[in-house]
Amino acid sequence: QVQLQESGPGLVKPSQTLSLTCTVSGGSITTSYNAWSWIRQPPGKGLEWMGAIVYDGSPYYSPSLKSRTSISRDTSKNQFSLQLSSVTTEDTAVYYCARALAGRSGVYDDWGQGKQVTGSS
């Protein structure tokens, strides 16, 4: 059973960088065809896919967030991370990490519990 858990600061000041880490257990982030994704949900709004890093280390980003988003991984720790720069109050959301299969859109097999992050001074 694959489990994912988000961690990182819950409060980020405007203009600073949001950094979250997803720790994966029960499976390897390098296993073929896995895509490790970041998804967020602002208050009162729907889910928004932010990006993913696939099993070979290649990152992919939502066009609307690409300029501010960086996704990386640490294979020795079986972790992948999200960095979102130039944060504003509109970036306030619950942030989820999730597992999908590379090449398949909009289908996620495992989710973390979510991490509330607030962009505020």
Coordinates of all heavy atoms in Angstrom, one line a residue, residues 18-90:
L18 N 6.8 29.2 -1.2 CA 6.2 28.1 -0.6 C 7.0 26.8 -0.9 O 7.3 26.5 -2.0 CB 4.7 28.0 -1.0 CG 3.8 26.9 -0.5 CD1 2.4 27.3 -0.6 CD2 4.0 25.5 -1.2
S19 N 7.3 26.1 0.2 CA 8.0 24.8 0.0 C 7.4 23.7 0.8 O 7.1 23.8 2.0 CB 9.5 25.0 0.5 OG 10.2 25.9 -0.3
L20 N 7.0 22.6 0.1 CA 6.4 21.5 0.7 C 7.2 20.2 0.2 O 7.7 20.2 -0.9 CB 4.9 21.3 0.3 CG 4.0 22.4 0.8 CD1 2.6 22.2 0.2 CD2 3.9 22.4 2.3
T21 N 7.2 19.2 1.1 CA 7.8 17.9 0.8 C 6.7 16.8 0.9 O 6.0 16.8 1.9 CB 9.0 17.7 1.7 OG1 10.0 18.7 1.4 CG2 9.6 16.3 1.4
C22 N 6.8 15.9 0.0 CA 5.9 14.7 0.1 C 6.8 13.5 0.3 O 7.7 13.2 -0.5 CB 5.1 14.5 -1.2 SG 3.9 13.1 -1.1
T23 N 6.5 12.8 1.5 CA 7.3 11.6 1.8 C 6.4 10.4 1.4 O 5.3 10.3 1.8 CB 7.6 11.5 3.3 OG1 8.4 12.6 3.6 CG2 8.3 10.2 3.6
V24 N 7.0 9.5 0.6 CA 6.3 8.3 0.0 C 6.8 7.1 0.7 O 8.0 6.9 0.9 CB 6.5 8.2 -1.5 CG1 5.9 7.0 -2.0 CG2 6.1 9.5 -2.2
S25 N 5.9 6.2 1.1 CA 6.2 4.9 1.7 C 5.4 3.9 1.0 O 4.3 4.1 0.5 CB 6.0 4.9 3.2 OG 4.6 5.2 3.5
G26 N 5.9 2.6 1.0 CA 5.2 1.5 0.4 C 5.4 1.4 -1.1 O 4.8 0.6 -1.8
G27 N 6.2 2.3 -1.7 CA 6.5 2.2 -3.1 C 7.6 3.2 -3.4 O 7.9 4.2 -2.7
S28 N 8.3 3.0 -4.5 CA 9.5 3.8 -4.8 C 9.1 4.8 -5.9 O 8.3 4.6 -6.8 CB 10.6 2.9 -5.4 OG 11.6 3.7 -5.9
I29 N 9.6 6.1 -5.7 CA 9.2 7.1 -6.7 C 10.0 6.9 -8.0 O 9.6 7.6 -9.0 CB 9.6 8.5 -6.1 CG1 11.1 8.7 -5.8 CG2 8.7 8.8 -4.8 CD1 11.5 10.1 -5.4
T30 N 10.9 6.0 -8.0 CA 11.6 5.7 -9.3 C 11.0 4.5 -10.1 O 11.4 4.2 -11.2 CB 13.1 5.4 -9.1 OG1 13.2 4.2 -8.3 CG2 13.7 6.6 -8.4
T31 N 10.0 3.9 -9.5 CA 9.3 2.7 -10.2 C 8.7 3.2 -11.5 O 8.1 4.2 -11.6 CB 8.3 2.1 -9.3 OG1 8.9 1.6 -8.1 CG2 7.6 0.9 -10.0
S32 N 8.9 2.4 -12.5 CA 8.4 2.7 -13.9 C 7.0 3.1 -13.9 O 6.1 2.5 -13.3 CB 8.7 1.6 -14.8 OG 10.1 1.3 -15.0
Y33 N 6.7 4.2 -14.7 CA 5.4 4.7 -15.0 C 4.7 5.5 -13.9 O 3.6 6.0 -14.1 CB 4.5 3.6 -15.5 CG 5.1 2.8 -16.6 CD1 5.3 1.4 -16.5 CD2 5.6 3.4 -17.8 CE1 5.9 0.7 -17.5 CE2 6.2 2.7 -18.8 CZ 6.3 1.3 -18.6 OH 6.9 0.6 -19.6
N34 N 5.2 5.6 -12.7 CA 4.7 6.4 -11.6 C 4.9 7.9 -12.0 O 6.0 8.3 -12.4 CB 5.3 6.1 -10.3 CG 4.7 4.9 -9.6 OD1 3.5 4.5 -9.9 ND2 5.4 4.2 -8.8
A35 N 3.9 8.7 -11.7 CA 3.9 10.1 -11.8 C 3.5 10.7 -10.5 O 2.4 10.4 -10.0 CB 3.0 10.6 -12.9
W36 N 4.4 11.5 -9.9 CA 4.2 12.1 -8.6 C 3.7 13.5 -8.7 O 4.5 14.3 -9.2 CB 5.4 11.9 -7.7 CG 5.8 10.4 -7.7 CD1 6.7 9.8 -8.5 CD2 5.3 9.4 -6.9 NE1 6.8 8.4 -8.3 CE2 5.9 8.2 -7.2 CE3 4.3 9.4 -5.9 CZ2 5.6 7.0 -6.6 CZ3 4.0 8.2 -5.2 CH2 4.7 7.0 -5.6
S37 N 2.5 13.8 -8.2 CA 1.9 15.0 -8.6 C 1.6 15.9 -7.4 O 1.5 15.5 -6.2 CB 0.5 14.7 -9.2 OG 0.7 13.9 -10.4
W38 N 1.5 17.2 -7.6 CA 1.0 18.2 -6.7 C -0.3 18.8 -7.2 O -0.4 19.2 -8.3 CB 2.0 19.3 -6.4 CG 3.2 18.8 -5.7 CD1 4.4 18.5 -6.1 CD2 3.3 18.7 -4.2 NE1 5.3 18.1 -5.1 CE2 4.6 18.2 -3.9 CE3 2.3 18.9 -3.2 CZ2 5.0 18.0 -2.6 CZ3 2.8 18.6 -1.9 CH2 4.1 18.2 -1.6
I39 N -1.3 18.8 -6.3 CA -2.6 19.4 -6.6 C -3.1 20.2 -5.4 O -2.8 19.9 -4.3 CB -3.6 18.2 -6.8 CG1 -3.2 17.3 -7.9 CG2 -5.0 18.7 -7.1 CD1 -3.6 15.8 -7.6
R40 N -3.7 21.3 -5.7 CA -4.2 22.2 -4.6 C -5.7 22.5 -4.7 O -6.2 22.4 -5.8 CB -3.4 23.5 -4.5 CG -3.6 24.4 -5.7 CD -2.7 25.7 -5.5 NE -2.9 26.7 -6.6 CZ -2.3 27.8 -6.6 NH1 -1.5 28.2 -5.7 NH2 -2.6 28.7 -7.7
Q41 N -6.3 22.9 -3.6 CA -7.7 23.3 -3.6 C -7.8 24.6 -2.8 O -7.8 24.5 -1.5 CB -8.6 22.2 -3.0 CG -10.0 22.5 -3.1 CD -10.9 21.3 -2.8 OE1 -10.5 20.5 -2.0 NE2 -12.0 21.2 -3.4
P42 N -8.0 25.7 -3.4 CA -8.3 27.0 -2.6 C -9.6 26.9 -2.0 O -10.5 26.1 -2.4 CB -8.3 28.1 -3.7 CG -7.5 27.4 -4.9 CD -7.9 26.0 -4.8
P43 N -9.9 27.7 -0.9 CA -11.2 27.7 -0.2 C -12.3 28.0 -1.2 O -12.3 28.9 -1.9 CB -11.0 28.8 0.8 CG -9.6 29.0 1.0 CD -8.9 28.7 -0.3
G44 N -13.3 27.1 -1.1 CA -14.5 27.3 -2.0 C -14.3 27.0 -3.4 O -15.2 27.3 -4.2
K45 N -13.2 26.5 -3.8 CA -12.9 26.2 -5.2 C -12.6 24.8 -5.5 O -12.4 24.0 -4.5 CB -11.8 27.1 -5.7 CG -12.1 28.6 -5.6 CD -10.9 29.4 -6.2 CE -11.2 30.9 -6.1 NZ -10.1 31.7 -6.6
G46 N -12.4 24.4 -6.7 CA -12.1 23.0 -7.1 C -10.7 22.7 -7.1 O -9.8 23.5 -6.8
L47 N -10.4 21.5 -7.4 CA -9.0 21.0 -7.4 C -8.2 21.6 -8.6 O -8.8 21.7 -9.7 CB -8.9 19.5 -7.4 CG -9.5 18.7 -6.2 CD1 -9.7 17.3 -6.5 CD2 -8.6 18.9 -5.0
E48 N -7.0 21.9 -8.4 CA -6.2 22.5 -9.5 C -4.9 21.7 -9.5 O -4.1 21.7 -8.6 CB -5.8 24.0 -9.2 CG -4.9 24.6 -10.3 CD -4.5 26.0 -10.0 OE1 -4.6 26.4 -8.8 OE2 -4.1 26.7 -10.9
W49 N -4.6 21.0 -10.7 CA -3.4 20.3 -10.9 C -2.2 21.3 -11.1 O -2.3 22.2 -11.9 CB -3.5 19.4 -12.1 CG -2.2 18.6 -12.4 CD1 -1.8 17.5 -11.7 CD2 -1.3 18.9 -13.4 NE1 -0.6 17.1 -12.3 CE2 -0.3 17.9 -13.3 CE3 -1.2 19.9 -14.4 CZ2 0.8 17.9 -14.2 CZ3 -0.1 19.8 -15.3 CH2 0.9 18.9 -15.2
M50 N -1.2 21.2 -10.3 CA 0.0 22.1 -10.4 C 1.1 21.6 -11.2 O 1.7 22.3 -12.0 CB 0.5 22.4 -9.0 CG -0.6 23.0 -8.1 SD 0.1 23.4 -6.4 CE 1.2 24.8 -6.9
G51 N 1.4 20.3 -11.1 CA 2.5 19.7 -11.8 C 2.8 18.3 -11.3 O 2.2 17.8 -10.4
A52 N 3.8 17.7 -11.9 CA 4.2 16.4 -11.5 C 5.7 16.1 -11.9 O 6.2 16.8 -12.8 CB 3.3 15.3 -12.1
I53 N 6.2 15.1 -11.2 CA 7.5 14.6 -11.6 C 7.4 13.1 -11.9 O 6.9 12.4 -11.0 CB 8.7 15.0 -10.6 CG1 10.0 14.6 -11.2 CG2 8.4 14.4 -9.3 CD1 11.2 15.3 -10.4
V54 N 7.8 12.7 -13.0 CA 7.6 11.3 -13.4 C 8.8 10.4 -12.9 O 9.8 10.9 -12.4 CB 7.3 11.1 -14.9 CG1 6.0 11.9 -15.3 CG2 8.5 11.5 -15.7
Y55 N 8.7 9.1 -13.1 CA 9.6 8.2 -12.6 C 11.1 8.4 -13.0 O 12.0 8.0 -12.3 CB 9.2 6.7 -12.9 CG 9.2 6.4 -14.4 CD1 10.2 5.8 -15.0 CD2 8.1 6.8 -15.2 CE1 10.2 5.5 -16.4 CE2 8.1 6.5 -16.6 CZ 9.2 5.9 -17.1 OH 9.2 5.6 -18.5
D56 N 11.2 9.0 -14.2 CA 12.6 9.2 -14.7 C 13.2 10.5 -14.3 O 14.3 10.9 -14.7 CB 12.7 9.0 -16.2 CG 11.9 10.1 -17.0 OD1 11.2 10.9 -16.3 OD2 12.0 10.1 -18.2
G57 N 12.4 11.3 -13.5 CA 12.8 12.6 -13.0 C 12.4 13.8 -13.8 O 12.7 14.9 -13.5
S58 N 11.7 13.6 -14.9 CA 11.2 14.7 -15.8 C 10.0 15.4 -15.1 O 9.0 14.8 -14.8 CB 10.8 14.2 -17.1 OG 11.9 13.5 -17.8
P59 N 10.1 16.7 -15.0 CA 9.0 17.5 -14.4 C 8.0 18.0 -15.5 O 8.4 18.3 -16.6 CB 9.7 18.6 -13.7 CG 10.9 18.9 -14.6 CD 11.3 17.6 -15.1
Y60 N 6.8 18.2 -15.1 CA 5.7 18.8 -16.0 C 4.9 19.7 -15.1 O 4.7 19.5 -13.9 CB 4.8 17.7 -16.5 CG 5.5 16.7 -17.5 CD1 6.2 15.6 -17.0 CD2 5.5 16.9 -18.8 CE1 6.8 14.7 -17.8 CE2 6.2 16.1 -19.7 CZ 6.8 15.0 -19.2 OH 7.5 14.1 -20.0
Y61 N 4.5 20.8 -15.7 CA 3.8 21.9 -15.0 C 2.6 22.4 -15.6 O 2.5 22.4 -16.9 CB 4.8 23.1 -14.8 CG 6.1 22.7 -14.1 CD1 7.3 22.7 -14.8 CD2 6.1 22.4 -12.7 CE1 8.5 22.4 -14.2 CE2 7.3 22.1 -12.1 CZ 8.5 22.1 -12.9 OH 9.7 21.8 -12.2
S62 N 1.6 22.8 -14.8 CA 0.5 23.5 -15.4 C 0.9 24.8 -16.1 O 1.7 25.5 -15.5 CB -0.5 23.8 -14.2 OG -1.5 24.7 -14.7
P63 N 0.4 25.1 -17.3 CA 0.8 26.3 -17.9 C 0.6 27.6 -17.1 O 1.4 28.5 -17.2 CB -0.1 26.3 -19.2 CG -0.3 24.9 -19.5 CD -0.5 24.2 -18.1
S64 N -0.5 27.6 -16.3 CA -0.8 28.8 -15.5 C 0.1 29.0 -14.4 O 0.2 30.1 -13.8 CB -2.3 28.7 -15.0 OG -2.4 27.6 -14.1
L65 N 0.9 28.0 -14.0 CA 1.8 28.1 -12.8 C 3.2 27.8 -13.2 O 4.1 27.9 -12.3 CB 1.3 27.1 -11.7 CG 0.0 27.4 -11.1 CD1 -0.4 26.2 -10.2 CD2 0.0 28.7 -10.3
K66 N 3.5 27.5 -14.4 CA 4.8 27.0 -14.8 C 5.9 28.0 -14.4 O 7.0 27.6 -14.0 CB 4.9 26.8 -16.3 CG 6.2 26.2 -16.8 CD 6.1 25.8 -18.2 CE 7.4 25.2 -18.7 NZ 7.3 24.8 -20.2
S67 N 5.7 29.3 -14.6 CA 6.7 30.3 -14.3 C 7.1 30.4 -12.9 O 8.2 30.9 -12.5 CB 6.3 31.7 -14.8 OG 5.2 32.1 -14.1
R68 N 6.2 29.9 -12.0 CA 6.5 30.1 -10.5 C 6.7 28.7 -9.8 O 7.0 28.7 -8.6 CB 5.3 30.7 -9.8 CG 5.0 32.1 -10.3 CD 4.1 32.8 -9.3 NE 2.8 32.3 -9.3 CZ 2.1 32.0 -8.2 NH1 2.6 32.2 -7.0 NH2 0.9 31.5 -8.2
T69 N 6.7 27.6 -10.5 CA 6.6 26.3 -9.9 C 7.9 25.5 -10.2 O 8.4 25.5 -11.4 CB 5.4 25.5 -10.4 OG1 4.2 26.3 -10.1 CG2 5.3 24.2 -9.7
S70 N 8.4 24.8 -9.2 CA 9.5 23.9 -9.4 C 9.2 22.6 -8.6 O 8.9 22.7 -7.4 CB 10.8 24.5 -9.0 OG 11.9 23.6 -9.1
I71 N 9.3 21.5 -9.3 CA 9.1 20.2 -8.6 C 10.4 19.4 -8.8 O 10.9 19.3 -9.9 CB 7.9 19.4 -9.2 CG1 6.6 20.2 -9.0 CG2 7.8 18.0 -8.6 CD1 5.4 19.6 -9.7
S72 N 10.9 18.8 -7.6 CA 12.1 18.1 -7.6 C 11.9 16.8 -6.8 O 10.9 16.6 -6.2 CB 13.3 18.9 -7.1 OG 13.0 19.4 -5.8
R73 N 13.0 16.0 -6.7 CA 12.9 14.8 -5.9 C 14.2 14.5 -5.3 O 15.3 14.9 -5.7 CB 12.4 13.6 -6.8 CG 13.4 13.2 -7.9 CD 12.9 12.0 -8.7 NE 13.9 11.5 -9.6 CZ 13.7 10.4 -10.4 NH1 12.6 9.8 -10.3 NH2 14.7 10.0 -11.2
D74 N 14.1 13.7 -4.2 CA 15.3 13.1 -3.6 C 15.1 11.6 -3.5 O 14.4 11.1 -2.6 CB 15.5 13.8 -2.2 CG 16.7 13.3 -1.5 OD1 17.3 12.3 -1.8 OD2 17.2 14.0 -0.6
T75 N 15.7 10.9 -4.4 CA 15.4 9.5 -4.5 C 16.0 8.7 -3.2 O 15.4 7.7 -2.9 CB 16.0 8.9 -5.7 OG1 17.4 9.1 -5.8 CG2 15.4 9.5 -7.0
S76 N 17.0 9.2 -2.6 CA 17.6 8.6 -1.4 C 16.6 8.6 -0.3 O 16.7 7.7 0.6 CB 18.9 9.2 -1.1 OG 18.8 10.5 -0.6
K77 N 15.8 9.6 -0.2 CA 14.8 9.7 0.9 C 13.4 9.3 0.4 O 12.5 9.4 1.2 CB 14.8 11.2 1.4 CG 16.1 11.6 2.0 CD 16.0 13.0 2.5 CE 17.3 13.5 3.2 NZ 17.2 14.9 3.6
N78 N 13.2 9.0 -0.9 CA 11.9 8.6 -1.4 C 11.0 9.8 -1.2 O 9.8 9.6 -0.8 CB 11.4 7.3 -0.8 CG 10.5 6.6 -1.8 OD1 10.9 6.5 -3.0 ND2 9.5 5.9 -1.4
Q79 N 11.4 11.0 -1.5 CA 10.6 12.2 -1.4 C 10.6 13.0 -2.7 O 11.5 13.0 -3.5 CB 11.2 13.1 -0.3 CG 11.1 12.5 1.1 CD 11.8 13.3 2.2 OE1 12.7 14.1 1.9 NE2 11.3 13.3 3.4
F80 N 9.5 13.8 -2.9 CA 9.5 14.8 -3.9 C 8.9 16.1 -3.3 O 8.2 16.0 -2.3 CB 8.8 14.3 -5.2 CG 7.3 14.1 -5.0 CD1 6.4 15.0 -5.5 CD2 6.8 12.9 -4.4 CE1 5.0 14.7 -5.4 CE2 5.5 12.6 -4.3 CZ 4.6 13.5 -4.8
S81 N 9.3 17.2 -3.9 CA 9.1 18.5 -3.3 C 8.5 19.5 -4.3 O 8.6 19.3 -5.5 CB 10.4 19.1 -2.7 OG 10.9 18.2 -1.7
L82 N 7.8 20.4 -3.7 CA 7.1 21.5 -4.4 C 7.7 22.9 -3.9 O 7.8 23.1 -2.7 CB 5.6 21.5 -4.3 CG 4.9 22.7 -4.8 CD1 4.8 22.7 -6.3 CD2 3.4 22.8 -4.2
Q83 N 8.1 23.7 -4.9 CA 8.4 25.1 -4.6 C 7.6 26.0 -5.4 O 7.6 25.9 -6.7 CB 9.9 25.4 -4.8 CG 10.8 24.6 -3.8 CD 12.2 25.0 -3.9 OE1 12.6 25.8 -4.8 NE2 13.1 24.5 -3.0
L84 N 6.9 26.9 -4.8 CA 6.0 27.9 -5.5 C 6.5 29.3 -5.1 O 6.4 29.7 -3.9 CB 4.6 27.7 -5.2 CG 3.6 28.7 -5.8 CD1 3.5 28.4 -7.3 CD2 2.2 28.5 -5.2
S85 N 7.1 30.0 -6.0 CA 7.6 31.3 -5.7 C 6.6 32.5 -5.8 O 5.5 32.3 -6.3 CB 8.8 31.6 -6.6 OG 8.4 31.8 -8.0
S86 N 7.0 33.6 -5.3 CA 6.2 34.9 -5.4 C 4.8 34.6 -4.9 O 3.8 35.0 -5.5 CB 6.2 35.4 -6.8 OG 7.5 35.7 -7.3
V87 N 4.6 34.1 -3.7 CA 3.3 33.7 -3.2 C 2.5 35.0 -2.8 O 3.0 36.0 -2.4 CB 3.6 32.9 -1.9 CG1 2.3 32.8 -1.1 CG2 4.0 31.5 -2.3
T88 N 1.2 34.9 -3.1 CA 0.2 35.9 -2.7 C -0.8 35.2 -1.9 O -0.9 34.0 -1.7 CB -0.4 36.5 -4.0 OG1 -1.3 35.6 -4.6 CG2 0.7 37.0 -5.0
T89 N -1.8 36.0 -1.4 CA -2.9 35.5 -0.6 C -3.7 34.6 -1.5 O -4.4 33.7 -0.9 CB -3.8 36.6 0.0 OG1 -4.2 37.4 -1.1 CG2 -3.0 37.5 0.9
E90 N -3.7 34.7 -2.8 CA -4.5 33.8 -3.6 C -4.0 32.4 -3.7 O -4.6 31.5 -4.3 CB -4.7 34.5 -5.0 CG -5.5 35.7 -5.0 CD -5.8 36.2 -6.4 OE1 -5.3 35.7 -7.4 OE2 -6.6 37.2 -6.6

